[in-house]
Amino acid sequence: MIRFDRVTKRYPPDITALADVSAEIGAGELVAVLGHSGAGKSTLLKLIPAIERPTSGSVLVNGQNVGALGRKALPYLRRNIGLVFQDQKLLFDRSVLANVLLPLEIAGFAPKEAKRRAEAALDKAGLLARARALPVALSGGEQQRLAIARAVAHRPALLLADEPTAYLDADTARDVANIFTEFHRVGVTVLLATYDAGLFPAARPLRLDHGRLA
Amino acid sequence: MRWLGAHWNALRLALRRLAAAPLNTLLAALGIGIALALPAGGALLLNHVTAMTQGMPATPQLTAFLAVDAERKTALAAATRIRNLPGVARTQLLAREDTLARMKSGALADAIGVLPNNPFPDAIVVTPADSINEVPAAIEQLAATLRQWKEIEHVQVDADWARRLAAFVRLARTALLLLAALLGVGLVAITFGTIRLQLLTRRAEVEVSRLLGATDGFIRRPFLWHGALLGWLGGIAAWLIVAAAILWLRLPLAELAQLYGFDLLLALPDAAASAALLAGAALLGWLGALLSMRQFLRGME
Ligand SMILES: Nc1ncnc2c1ncn2[C@@H]1O[C@H](COP(=O)(O)OP(=O)(O)OP(=O)(O)O)[C@@H](O)[C@H]1O
Ligand SMILES: [Mg+2]
């Protein structure tokens, strides 16, 4: 489903975040990208929805070289991926429900259907009762679950998550980790970056060390 | 259907944002309204004046007055001479005693009654040929010719001031068009600035939307509605300003016009003009938002 082919990513002026990385992630796999801070985990994930583009080498998603996609094609790639960002990127001026509605509206669902799916996603994340609240009123763990609900509301076949359990206490981290294991179980391809490999025993590890695959 | 849903969502979002900052919305609408009220009110006034001048005689006439003490046969001879000039269709002699009789039954009867002598001279009303009417200068030329005749004391071109008014209306129309264009640009600038401020505070939203796969069209949509709605609200403000001005001014203006013998009673803009005002304002607001979005999205590359 995803293939990294000799991918190098340099940031200006001369930071090499990824060096000659080759890897393959099959459909339905659960893969954990591991490594120290600054190892290049986030960079690796960002290459898939073409938030960053490789300096050399290629990233193929479903056979499509995403590094070469034009501006007009990008939205259609991204709509098929669920993204949980390291910094969550919730919109704090709209309700919990409106946050989850956003990707559905972007995908062009009719208002009724979008609402149905958003509420289903919130229900699964245990946040349905908080649908009308603003995200600031949620706890850290709840905000993380909201970010996940937003990522999966449109039922993407591929789910990317960057440190989804960071800053959570051990119990909450386990709950959140279980959500991803659940998605993996129902056939979603899951690729996540984490410090804590122990939370994802079922995941195939992909270890990065200073931008190189170890 | 999908398209409709997308617009419905964007419209609701825009409405919510306008309602969330009512004072900003009100001030922007008022600014736009004042800018639009000037050309809108001017156009209305001009339309009334145009309608009024259309009731006036289009064919100019010359009146040549003889001296008060001129003999009747001099007047008759002059009339014949004028009739034989090129460019003259008809002449008609207004005898001074007829004029006096007519004036005595008019508004100035009392004043005229006390005069010892008939103050009116014989007058010859000259109707120019149609060919001459198409050349305004030709009438002036005819008048100049008659002015040189020693038996004629005074020549008056009757439609003179009507023509001046028509020329003034033409000029005012051009000036108004210029003003409207200028203030239209002003309106675009106001919405451009408002949407720009909106975008600065909503940068995160735009970025997240992009990351989630939003097209530029999707991102633009609520902001374009925002701009259009602002323009539309401004149009309503302009309408209210114009309506208030009309209600205040219609009577004094009617009295003033009456002094010149005209009926000029301003009416509120009709449905078509009102709709055009609102639609035009919305369109300009939309354009301002579109330009603002274009600049912003380019800057985000
Ligand atoms: N936009 C950027 N511009 C310049 N350098 C960057 C940028 N993004 C990341 N880097 C650098 O690239 C390297 C890899 O960063 P990356 O964010 O991929 O690491 P990470 O493994 O996700 O780290 P963490 O666990 O702390 O999130 C780091 O040295 C980082 O400073
Ligand atoms: Mg990271």
Side-chain angles (χ1 to χ4, degrees):
Chain A
M1 185 171 210
I2 303 168
R3 213 172 94 204
F4 292 88
D5 196 6
R6 308 205 61 181
V7 171
T8 294
K9 173 64 184 177
R10 269 186 218 98
Y11 290 110
D14 61 344
I15 298 159
T16 303
L18 291 174
D20 203 24
V21 170
S22 293
E24 193 144 0
I25 291 131
E29 264 200 287
L30 169 61
V31 175
V33 185
L34 307 171
H36 58 88
S37 178
K41 305 183 293 295
S42 293
T43 302
L44 188 81
L45 292 187
K46 283 178 187 167
L47 290 172
I48 296 165
I51 296 169
E52 297 289 351
R53 304 198 184 223
T55 311
S56 69
S58 60
V59 179
L60 300 180
V61 177
N62 289 326
Q64 197 173 32
N65 182 358
V66 296
L69 281 182
R71 202 165 126 53
K72 288 249 186 301
L74 277 186
Y76 304 96
L77 167 70
R78 290 177 182 169
R79 281 179 209 178
N80 293 314
I81 302 173
L83 285 171
V84 180
F85 303 95
Q86 188 164 6
D87 57 354
Q88 295 177 340
K89 297 195 191 296
L90 298 175
L91 295 176
F92 286 93
D93 64 339
R94 34 176 112 180
S95 70
V96 164
L97 179 65
N99 268 276
V100 182
L101 277 172
L102 183 61
L104 295 164
E105 287 167 357
I106 286 172
F109 284 100
K112 262 208 190 115
E113 176 66 8
K115 185 144 183 283
R116 204 181 61 71
R117 289 191 182 216
E119 283 173 350
L122 281 175
D123 195 18
K124 216 176 280 173
L127 288 172
L128 192 53
R130 312 300 304 278
R132 303 277 152 205
L134 287 177
V136 275
L138 302 183
S139 71
E142 287 170 333
Q143 288 186 0
Q144 193 61 45
R145 293 209 303 266
L146 171 56
I148 296 167
R150 183 180 68 183
V152 300
H154 60 300
R155 298 184 196 150
L158 172 61
L159 182 56
L160 305 179
D162 199 348
E163 312 279 6
T165 60
Y167 316 118
L168 301 179
D169 66 48
D171 282 348
T172 321
R174 208 168 308 114
D175 287 348
V176 167
N178 282 339
I179 299 177
F180 288 96
T181 315
E182 290 283 311
F183 279 116
H184 165 58
R185 203 167 291 150
V186 298
V188 178
T189 309
V190 181
L191 181 60
L192 44 85
T194 183
Y195 295 108
D196 193 349
L199 282 172
F200 303 94
R204 169 163 74 92
L206 208 61
R207 197 171 293 279
L208 281 173
D209 185 9
H210 292 99
R212 290 185 182 275
L213 225 45
Chain B
M1 193 52 226
R2 209 170 232 226
W3 178 85
L4 210 66
H7 273 282
W8 174 236
N9 281 332
L11 175 61
R12 275 192 324 190
L13 201 59
L15 280 170
R16 214 172 312 135
R17 284 174 190 172
L18 285 169
L23 190 66
N24 286 353
T25 303
L26 197 74
L27 288 177
L30 202 64
I32 293 168
I34 290 170
L36 280 179
L38 232 63
L44 191 88
L45 188 65
L46 216 56
N47 280 342
H48 275 87
V49 171
T50 309
M52 187 184 83
T53 53
Q54 262 151 19
M56 299 193 309
T59 0
Q61 286 186 332
L62 289 182
T63 310
F65 297 94
L66 286 86
V68 180
D69 55 358
E71 287 182 43
R72 177 58 38 87
K73 68 170 192 281
T74 319
L76 284 168
T80 312
R81 232 179 117 198
I82 294 173
R83 196 175 318 126
N84 290 332
L85 286 175
V88 174
R90 261 174 296 117
T91 58
Q92 186 199 352
L93 184 73
L94 294 181
R96 49 198 300 257
E97 52 277 15
D98 293 346
T99 308
L100 179 70
R102 192 150 42 80
M103 294 312 266
K104 270 190 171 156
S105 62
L108 297 171
D110 293 344
I112 289 165
V114 303
L115 294 175
N117 302 316
N118 181 354
F120 301 108
D122 282 339
I124 303 163
V125 176
V126 184
T127 306
D130 284 344
S131 60
I132 235 180
N133 277 334
E134 275 135 45
V135 196
I139 293 178
E140 289 301 338
Q141 229 160 49
L142 185 60
T145 307
L146 297 184
R147 279 189 190 108
Q148 282 164 6
W149 294 6
K150 61 176 187 313
E151 64 268 42
I152 288 172
E153 285 241 316
H154 178 67
V155 178
Q156 188 185 316
V157 182
D158 288 340
D160 218 23
W161 77 270
R163 269 191 305 137
R164 277 188 208 143
L165 184 64
F168 170 77
V169 167
R170 264 200 305 281
L171 180 70
R173 200 172 286 284
T174 310
L176 202 66
L177 223 62
L178 230 94
L179 187 73
L182 215 65
L183 292 172
V185 171
L187 194 161
V188 170
I190 292 176
T191 41
F192 184 95
T194 308
I195 298 302
R196 205 182 135 68
L197 277 176
Q198 279 282 321
L199 283 166
L200 290 179
T201 57
R202 296 187 186 282
R203 209 188 163 85
E205 170 191 320
V206 173
E207 270 165 11
V208 171
S209 298
R210 269 208 166 158
L211 290 174
L212 297 182
T215 55
D216 283 356
F218 179 92
I219 292 170
R220 262 198 302 259
R221 221 172 277 136
F223 294 98
L224 295 184
W225 272 112
H226 193 129
L229 284 171
L230 260 188
W232 185 73
L233 287 174
I236 290 180
W239 195 94
L240 291 175
I241 292 170
V242 169
I246 287 173
L247 294 182
W248 271 77
L249 292 177
R250 67 190 308 186
L251 289 181
L253 203 63
E255 277 169 23
L256 181 73
Q258 204 80 69
L259 290 181
Y260 291 89
F262 290 113
D263 288 326
L264 180 61
L265 195 60
L266 292 181
L268 290 178
D270 59 22
S274 306
L277 174 66
L278 295 189
L283 195 72
L284 290 173
W286 176 85
L287 184 65
L290 186 70
L291 294 175
S292 201
M293 284 312 292
R294 175 183 295 192
Q295 196 218 26
F296 182 80
L297 290 175
R298 276 205 190 134
M300 275 189 59
E301 297 292 295

